[in-house]
Amino acid sequence: MNYAIGIDIGGTKIALGLVSSDGQVLSKTSLSTDLSLHPSDMVDKIAEAANRLLSDEGLQQADLKGIGIGAPGPLNTKLGQISEPPNLPNWWNFPIIHSFKRHFQLPIVLENDATAAALAEKWTGAAKAVDHFIYITISTGIGAGIYSHGSVLTGATGNAGDIGHIVIDSSRGTCSCGQRGCFEYIASGTAIAREASSLLGRSVTSKEVFELALSGQDPAMESLVHRVFGYIGAGCVTLINTFDPELLIFGGGVSQVGEPLFEAIRNYIKLHALNPSGRNTPVVPAALQQNAGLIGAAALIHTNY
């Protein structure tokens, strides 16, 4: 059996794990993303943690098939660079693969984190039986991994699936990208918390918002959540009409709301998807949850994606 290290880089946390060729996570750990450090110094810390994982399992670098890295976009997979992710401002234009090569003389592959998570769900998760699906993550931001005709759709530079910047409602304010009413700006966990905090006059998390809304304690929160569910439904219909998937898989923190979210999306899709078959597109939770990112990063090495 051979092994890969999967690394999932996020704005607040970096998860990494040692993953076998059959998709099992043998061991894993995580680090806080320290934005006060130069990214090359952060890479040093990640490499140290990866070597500890190997040592704890009685393995060496020679036992590795390679290292896969999932990172938020925009990025440039051709150049092995992280380009301009909003949540990693000091990582802009950072040559991440070159930096890791200081520590590992192994194949190293970089892809968008949502693309990697989609690959994980295909490999060992909820999409094993289908060849056309979209993995959608809704948390701090919104992104997607698109799997079609038996492979992930990456685009020219690895940025296919950046659905957070589809314009859904141009009346709803200006996104960080400069457009008005982007999907991410109005329906992400960050957006929900921002809007609710303004309505309530105090700081709340998106988790608290859903608790208030779904318990019936606060009509204003119920109205907000209903509106957000509609935005997510509209985003899904756009994806269904564009890519004709067999399945939609949801991950990310907002997906933890569970069935109330999925039922609302299914109902919206039934009403508005153009193709009659698309109106019955299944909507399911991600099977791998918090491990999807690191398993998907390892899958960049283990699978012929």
Side-chain angles (χ1 to χ4, degrees), residues 68-148:
I69 303 169
L75 40 74
N76 190 319
T77 55
K78 285 188 173 180
L79 299 178
Q81 290 184 350
I82 292 180
S83 297
E84 296 186 6
N87 293 328
L88 294 170
N90 63 329
W91 289 61
W92 284 20
N93 300 314
F94 176 60
I96 188 167
I97 288 182
H98 176 76
S99 188
F100 269 99
K101 287 285 190 183
R102 294 180 296 121
H103 299 278
F104 301 96
Q105 299 306 306
L106 298 163
I108 301 175
V109 181
L110 170 69
E111 283 291 353
N112 180 275
D113 50 3
T115 296
L119 193 59
E121 290 292 332
K122 173 61 181 174
W123 189 25
T124 63
K128 287 189 288 186
V130 299
D131 282 328
H132 305 269
F133 73 93
I134 301 174
Y135 170 87
I136 302 164
T137 178
I138 304 181
S139 53
T140 304
I142 295 178
I146 302 161
Y147 195 95
S148 184

Side-chain angles (χ1 to χ4, degrees), residues 2-286:
N2 52 45
Y3 308 92
I5 294 285
I7 300 170
D8 182 28
I9 295 175
T12 58
K13 184 183 78 170
I14 296 168
L16 61 158
L18 179 65
V19 182
S20 64
S21 56
D22 60 356
Q24 298 303 306
V25 179
L26 302 181
S27 59
K28 62 180 181 177
T29 189
S30 64
L31 306 169
S32 295
T33 306
D34 189 343
L35 296 178
S36 70
L37 293 178
H38 188 277
S40 63
D41 294 328
M42 201 68 224
V43 166
D44 293 344
K45 288 180 173 291
I46 299 168
E48 181 182 351
N51 281 320
R52 275 200 306 272
L53 288 178
L54 288 171
S55 177
D56 290 346
E57 295 294 324
L59 300 172
Q60 299 177 339
Q61 287 193 21
D63 296 304
L64 289 178
K65 187 177 179 182
I67 294 173
I69 303 169
L75 40 74
N76 190 319
T77 55
K78 285 188 173 180
L79 299 178
Q81 290 184 350
I82 292 180
S83 297
E84 296 186 6
N87 293 328
L88 294 170
N90 63 329
W91 289 61
W92 284 20
N93 300 314
F94 176 60
I96 188 167
I97 288 182
H98 176 76
S99 188
F100 269 99
K101 287 285 190 183
R102 294 180 296 121
H103 299 278
F104 301 96
Q105 299 306 306
L106 298 163
I108 301 175
V109 181
L110 170 69
E111 283 291 353
N112 180 275
D113 50 3
T115 296
L119 193 59
E121 290 292 332
K122 173 61 181 174
W123 189 25
T124 63
K128 287 189 288 186
V130 299
D131 282 328
H132 305 269
F133 73 93
I134 301 174
Y135 170 87
I136 302 164
T137 178
I138 304 181
S139 53
T140 304
I142 295 178
I146 302 161
Y147 195 95
S148 184
H149 294 282
S151 62
V152 286
L153 179 63
T154 60
T157 58
N159 291 295
D162 205 348
I163 63 167
H165 299 281
I166 295 171
V167 173
I168 300 289
D169 183 351
S170 61
S171 71
R172 297 297 299 176
T174 304
C175 178
S176 60
C177 75
Q179 296 191 108
R180 293 183 60 82
C182 283
F183 195 7
E184 181 172 295
Y185 183 79
I186 60 176
S188 65
T190 304
I192 295 164
R194 182 190 67 241
E195 181 77 7
S197 296
S198 175
L199 289 169
L200 294 171
R202 60 185 176 88
S203 180
V204 292
T205 65
S206 59
K207 183 174 183 291
E208 291 175 274
V209 175
F210 286 117
E211 288 171 352
L212 287 170
L214 298 175
S215 67
Q217 295 179 45
D218 192 311
M221 295 302 98
E222 285 186 73
S223 177
L224 170 60
V225 166
H226 178 75
R227 185 167 69 245
V228 167
F229 284 175
Y231 291 146
I232 296 172
C236 290
V237 165
T238 297
L239 292 172
I240 290 168
N241 290 346
T242 304
F243 294 104
D244 193 22
E246 299 170 82
L247 178 68
L248 297 181
I249 300 173
F250 274 84
V254 171
S255 73
Q256 300 304 305
V257 174
E259 195 54 31
L261 170 65
F262 303 141
E263 182 180 5
I265 294 169
R266 292 184 196 111
N267 289 339
Y268 192 102
I269 290 170
K270 284 182 187 296
L271 288 173
H272 299 294
L274 187 62
N275 188 328
S277 65
R279 295 170 199 154
N280 295 311
T281 304
V283 177
V284 303

